[in-house]
Amino acid sequence: MFTGSIVALITPMDINGNICKKSFKKLIDYHISSGTKAIVIMGTTGESSTFTYKERISIIMYALDLAQDKIPIIAGTGFNSTSKSISMISDLENSGIIGCLNVTPYYNRPTQDGLYQHFKKIANSTKLPQILYNVPSRTGCDLLPETIYKLSEINNIIGIKEATGDLSRVNKIKNLIKKKFFLISGDDKTALDFMLLGGDGIISVTANIAALEMKTFYDCIKNNNFFQAKKINQHLNILHHQLFIETNPIPVKWVAKRLGLIFSDKMRLPMTPLKKCNQKILEITLKKLKLI
């Protein structure tokens, strides 16, 4: 359940900034029918930082209700406060989620020992599988391979979402960790090479609007059909880049609305709508890829 094409799901809102339940159901159904392996709810792409604690719990529970055991749900439970992460995981312990995705503590900029102690305490508070999430461009701190190795010795820390884009990390981590430990790419642009180096899957932004293509892309790699995998990756490469033409998830929400997957691309401040000039660029790309 922690391999394959996993979507970092956007959180659809109405024009008032509240959850759009109709769009949410449409998105979940889209990923079930497309064969997406699992859904991450309330991650970076889900704009978790603009929701209250209670809202985050509510959104995760609503996703579980919509999924109806047809697709696994991974909950984003990361905070820059260890105690808050522990509290959220405790509230979700028996909810039906298959695991937790915990981002490195943003803004605090802890030392490697601080990172180790943070994730260790969280893992020891629960029986749920824990996935580390390293994205220094967002958090201001980098979880180094040596620290990842130490954390992998904790039984329920079962993998990492590596979103540095640094492909050398794959071999460094694999050389340190000899037991099964899931290496999941968090960067669509480098996911092909990441998996060819031995990665297990991807938590994808692009899968929000090209779910079947991303699922097929992974299946091709799994089945050693590297020619077809490279062909799909080449086709989607422009999207992998342009979905970051502005800060994620601004572009992907606009595209999802343009494709009719959600009814509004509304976001809460400080996130703002996609600029008109970038809308034109993405419009051209969507037509080129025959998505519209």
Side-chain angles (χ1 to χ4, degrees):
M1 291 185 288
F2 301 104
T3 64
S5 177
I6 300 168
V7 64
L9 197 72
I10 56 177
T11 302
M13 304 179 202
D14 61 27
I15 57 172
N16 297 313
N18 299 314
I19 298 302
C20 178
K21 292 188 174 182
K22 285 181 67 176
S23 291
F24 216 139
K25 184 179 188 309
K26 196 170 186 179
L27 286 175
I28 299 286
D29 289 345
Y30 168 66
H31 286 288
I32 291 170
S33 64
S34 298
T36 299
K37 194 64 177 291
I39 296 175
V40 171
I41 301 291
M42 286 283 97
T44 304
T45 307
E47 301 172 75
S48 57
S49 61
T50 64
F51 289 94
T52 67
Y53 182 97
K54 287 184 178 180
E55 284 177 319
R56 287 175 68 167
I57 294 287
S58 176
I59 291 165
I60 292 165
M61 296 304 295
Y62 186 58
L64 284 163
D65 184 53
L66 290 173
Q68 295 182 343
D69 295 324
K70 294 178 181 177
I71 189 167
I73 300 295
I74 300 168
T77 52
F79 288 90
N80 64 342
S81 163
T82 309
S83 61
K84 281 187 179 179
S85 287
I86 290 171
S87 292
M88 177 166 283
I89 293 168
S90 176
D91 286 339
L92 295 168
E93 189 77 37
N94 299 307
S95 64
I97 62 170
I98 64 163
C100 304
L101 181 68
N102 289 314
V103 70
T104 52
Y106 41 89
Y107 186 74
N108 298 352
R109 297 185 66 193
T111 64
Q112 292 301 302
D113 183 58
L115 290 167
Y116 174 75
Q117 296 296 338
H118 169 78
F119 288 117
K120 178 183 178 182
K121 189 164 185 178
I122 290 172
N124 287 340
S125 75
T126 180
K127 294 181 180 179
L128 285 167
Q130 303 293 299
I131 304 170
L132 309 170
Y133 177 15
N134 190 35
V135 56
S137 64
R138 287 273 190 170
T139 64
C141 64
D142 188 3
L143 188 64
L144 298 180
E146 294 76 15
T147 309
I148 296 167
Y149 163 68
K150 286 177 63 180
L151 288 165
S152 73
E153 296 296 297
I154 300 168
N155 287 337
N156 61 332
I157 295 181
I158 52 90
I160 183 167
K161 176 185 176 182
E162 247 296 327
T164 59
D166 179 0
L167 292 169
S168 70
R169 290 289 178 96
V170 181
N171 283 332
K172 286 178 183 176
I173 295 169
K174 286 177 73 70
N175 288 337
L176 287 167
I177 302 172
K178 302 304 180 184
K179 68 176 186 178
K180 182 58 187 174
F181 187 78
F182 295 102
L183 296 178
I184 306 168
S185 171
D187 179 51
D188 285 292
K189 297 185 292 294
T190 59
L192 173 63
D193 290 331
F194 186 100
M195 285 190 277
L196 292 178
L197 288 168
D200 297 291
I202 180 171
I203 295 178
S204 170
V205 174
T206 302
N208 277 284
I209 49 92
L212 181 58
E213 291 89 340
M214 289 302 296
K215 184 261 185 189
T216 305
F217 164 72
Y218 173 80
D219 287 347
C220 287
I221 294 176
K222 184 180 178 182
N223 295 321
N224 298 319
N225 187 352
F226 303 126
F227 175 81
Q228 186 63 23
K230 290 177 181 178
K231 188 175 179 180
I232 295 169
N233 187 67
Q234 186 176 23
H235 178 71
L236 293 177
N237 191 49
I238 190 169
L239 267 184
H240 294 336
H241 285 82
Q242 288 188 0
L243 290 180
F244 290 83
I245 199 169
E246 290 182 33
T247 304
N248 178 47
I250 293 171
V252 72
K253 286 193 87 169
W254 183 86
V255 172
K257 180 191 175 186
R258 182 66 182 84
L259 297 181
L261 291 169
I262 58 177
F263 297 108
S264 169
D265 60 345
K266 174 73 176 181
M267 285 172 285
R268 293 180 179 181
L269 288 171
M271 306 305 288
T272 52
L274 187 68
K275 294 175 183 175
K276 294 289 185 182
C277 60
N278 290 328
Q279 291 180 22
K280 292 178 181 178
I281 291 171
L282 278 164
E283 183 83 12
I284 292 168
T285 296
L286 294 176
K287 288 178 180 177
K288 182 179 179 180
L289 297 179
K290 297 181 181 180
L291 292 174
I292 56 174

